[in-house]
Amino acid sequence: MNLTELGYVAGWRVVRALPRPVVAAAFRAGADRAHRAGGGGTARLRANLRRVVGPDLPEAELDDLVRRGLRSYARYWMEAFRLPALSRAEILAGFRLAPAGVDQLSADVASGRGAVVALPHAGNWDAAGAWVAATGWPITTVAERLKPEGLYERFLAFRQGLGMEILPTHGGPRPAFDVLVDRLRTGTVVPLLADRDLSSRGIEVDFFGGRTRMPAGPALLALRTGAPLYVASMWYEPDAACASISGPLPLPDPDSAPLDARVRTVTQRIADGLAAGIARHPEDWHMLQRMWLDQRAATGGGSGPSAQPPTTTGTN
């Protein structure tokens, strides 16, 4: 077990053992220290949030937004570490989906057509997945397969223990995309993080006035299966992680254009929906990596070190 994996194991054990107010205060203090230190992740978050809020927001207000963003991100980690110790009732109480979204997803599951939900790295996506499973709906998603393998296996066990079926991006017995197609056809909810491409094969889109790439998976799944495609907005309230969904997004007619053009059209619609939600709650967007193509070009390529866990992601 290496030091990174050891740190996660310690987090899961210690954070669950202590009272929530004690843990929350410690994580909040850690976020404030990170803000004062101004390291690479904080600088990338600041640059990303500047894109969201535009050039006119005063620097002092942007600085406060960054501080709140780091506190939100620390809250995500604190709650993720504590999730496995929660009862079903506590999981249901700790996350709220807007009533219209509950009705839509319930109908999609009952009809057997399932639903694809494109998510941002915002609020608490693990709490959302746990809530779906606790509600009694089948849920399948995809997680990037990172090294060390032991860390990936621990995150896999963590999410499976919450009731989610997790597919690896590669190395599974069947391609993840094929399995997701099958699951959708049996009424499964398929949430996929969709605001950042991890493969360098993503679809180029306009996003807050710049160009970036987003995964093709959510659009391609909806086009292949006809399942409804929603875009989620995710944020925190003082007492719960919250979400709403918009859609289903309109899908181009199969005869209107080649598949690749239709995927580009739908992925841009996803980007627009994600941007609308992030703009409403910028402090809860946990994007500490470079997002835009001009950022990557300016630093010689690459996305920089990741401060995020192995995440569920769109499959290309």
Side-chain angles (χ1 to χ4, degrees), residues 81-94:
F81 283 138
R82 294 176 68 85
L83 262 176
L86 300 184
S87 67
R88 177 176 179 270
E90 288 171 323
I91 288 172
L92 291 173

Side-chain angles (χ1 to χ4, degrees), residues 24-71:
F27 273 68
R28 185 182 180 101
D32 289 347
R33 283 195 298 273
H35 176 252
R36 290 192 298 271
T42 300
R44 288 188 290 273
L45 179 62
R46 183 183 302 275
N48 291 339
L49 290 175
R50 173 55 80 187
R51 295 267 188 155
V52 171
V53 300
D56 296 333
L57 188 75
E59 281 297 320
E61 293 182 33
L62 177 64
D63 192 60
D64 180 67
L65 179 61
V66 171
R67 178 177 56 83
R68 288 185 285 125
L70 290 169
R71 286 181 174 183

Side-chain angles (χ1 to χ4, degrees), residues 116-132:
V116 182
V117 185
L119 308 175
H121 285 81
N124 192 329
W125 53 92
D126 283 315
W131 181 90
V132 167

